Amino acid sequence: MNTEQYFEELENWLDLEAVAEKERMARRRQIRSSKEAERSGETVLDLLITNHQTGLAGRILIDFAKKSHGDLPPIRLKVGSPVVICNLKDRDDRGVSGVVSAKRREVIQVAVDQWPDGEVFRIDLSPDETTRRRQLAAMARAKLAKGRSKRLRDIAIGLVRPKLAQGKNQVLKYRSFLNDSQQSAVRFAIESEDIAILHGPPGTGKTTTLAEVIFQELENQKRVLACAPSNTAVDNLLEKLISLNIRAIRVGHPARVFAELRDHTLDEIVDRDPHTQIILEMRREVQELVREAQKFSRGRDWRKQKKHYFAEAGKLRGQIRSMVKSIVRNVIDTADVICTTTTIDDDLLSDSEFDVVVIDEACQATAPGMWQALLRGKKIILAGDHQQLPPTVLSAEAASRGMQRSMMEEILEREGSSVFRRLTVQYRMHEKIMDFPSQFFYDSELIADPSVAHHKLTDHPTIESSDLTESPLLFIDTAGADFIEQVEEEGESKFNAKEAMLVKQLVHRFSNAGVDPNNIAVIAPYAAQVRFLRDMLGSRSVEIDTVDGFQGREKDLVILTMVRSNRDRQIGFLSDLRRTNVAMTRARHKLIMIGDSSTLSVNPFYAKLLDYFERQNSYSSVWEYPCE
């Protein structure tokens, strides 16, 4: 595939995604029933404004809560999600765009630039057209790339082989404590000339290692752009950089940034600049000029006077824009590191180029989403884990044509060990929780650090010792007990009521044994099971979510309900084994899996997993857990 064909295919993917997003939003807008409309997790209806304030660089922060004063339904709207707020009573209302700036159990807060019309509202996840336009523009530039950008482009596409890392025997003084595999990865990244990939399996300190790479590049007088496809991943990296006393600037909408990190955003830093006070005074002067101009409507030379005032206001606005641009440029040019999502604001960064571009969680980015960052660097460092969740793609056709395969995965498959180093010491899981994922996904290379290798729930003094709390693993087999899956009414998602009842029983048993409910997670592969469990448990402490919702998270105790149990032995998207890998590796001290062995074992992976539980004496039947 040549360059033209490659980018033509990427453009086709984006067209397919745009159609899928618009169709999905149109379907949601046509649904009138609250229960059905909110089933997707991308819509909330019957909302009232309960509070508002000014913040986040002058934007309006509006709190919305349910008209019924109840909890919000399970939603996929996270801090940083682009949304549209519409008048629920007016189906033709085009709405006001905003960004989710905070979310609590009963309240969702949205940052907007203008006040929405209406009394009762709906909030919908919005297609991000700005992102798509920026990606298309970046790909158009990539086609015409020259020099260093052209070489990196051709390496990414597979037209040119990258140069192998050259050992430079540079003495590195590490800012962080790093194990041998992390030090090897840092040195490899520093010594690579074109591209380096850091493969970070769960709990191996990938972000810590990446922050150290950035520190070392700065020590070598390199300018660094640090990116990730999600705001959460960018903020996690920013947090690490700040802990190393690196002057990092976070570029992006402040509402998309962790509240505790907003002092490091470009908006906040610009607001603190001494010249900003002058700008504020100039803006007040503009307002006064406009007010004076509006007073003139009659009398001699009133048109001339009006024109004069407006002209003066226009000159001041021009000076303000110039001063703001100068302040922003100075902040960006003097930062050690610029942190942003891979959807880069080209207006802010302008033509800024960097010696090194670092992209964390690269496996969660689609290929079209990589080019804005790639074109700004002389060297590329990618970090992630292709054995965890792939990029989110709505269009089934685009996914089938390759959009769900990340660029990092493609390069790894093509270039092999010459371009990557794997982190091998993990600091999260008991070694028995770790062993099976290590064997199946990571060539049996993972090692549990001694600090976690044998840790267990009962290490906490308030937790009672029993077979249930002492062991790190448990599989509860529901085969033969008629734990049959069901399809949610008016939907396609599946749930398993009897598995949910067993989950509830287990949560109560662990809580009674002294396990803090805040340290318990219940994970389900299906959204319907999450909804069913939340209704059943009603706990504000125990976290219940889908696999996607727990990516990058961890808890002391994880209960994983597999849901699928049917006579046809169909497992649906449980066959995407990366999802199960993510779910299993969220557990620190104990992992419990509930499932039907007769259904699951049709897949070789689950057959081996069941065998592993048996060999660990951690396999039991549901008959051993009578309903209480």
Side-chain angles (χ1 to χ4, degrees), residues 9 112 195 197 207 298 372 623-624:
E9 180 64 1
V112 295
I195 189 167
I197 293 177
T207 305
R298 57 178 61 87
Q372 276 189 280
W623 301 109
E624 299 173 42

Side-chain angles (χ1 to χ4, degrees), residues 434-461:
M434 173 201 76
D435 278 345
F436 185 78
S438 176
Q439 293 167 25
F440 200 90
F441 296 104
Y442 306 111
D443 304 316
S444 298
E445 290 187 358
L446 295 192
I447 301 164
D449 185 77
S451 63
V452 301
H454 305 290
H455 66 182
K456 50 191 177 181
L457 290 173
T458 50
D459 289 345
H460 196 285

Side-chain angles (χ1 to χ4, degrees), residues 164-165 184-185 188-189 192 195-201 382 384 386 408 411-413 415-423 443 445:
L164 298 180
S184 172
F188 177 74
S192 295
I195 189 167
I197 293 177
L198 307 187
H199 181 198
L382 307 180
H386 57 291
M408 177 176 148
I411 296 172
L412 277 173
E413 187 175 287
E415 304 296 340
S417 60
S418 66
V419 296
F420 89 100
R421 291 292 183 272
R422 176 181 287 154
L423 307 180
D443 304 316
E445 290 187 358

Side-chain angles (χ1 to χ4, degrees), residues 21 37 56 68 140 169 183 327 360 433 435 502 510 546 549 614:
E21 283 187 346
L56 300 174
S68 62
N169 297 318
Q183 290 186 25
I327 294 170
D360 196 8
I433 299 173
D435 278 345
L502 180 55
F510 279 103
T546 59
E614 284 199 81

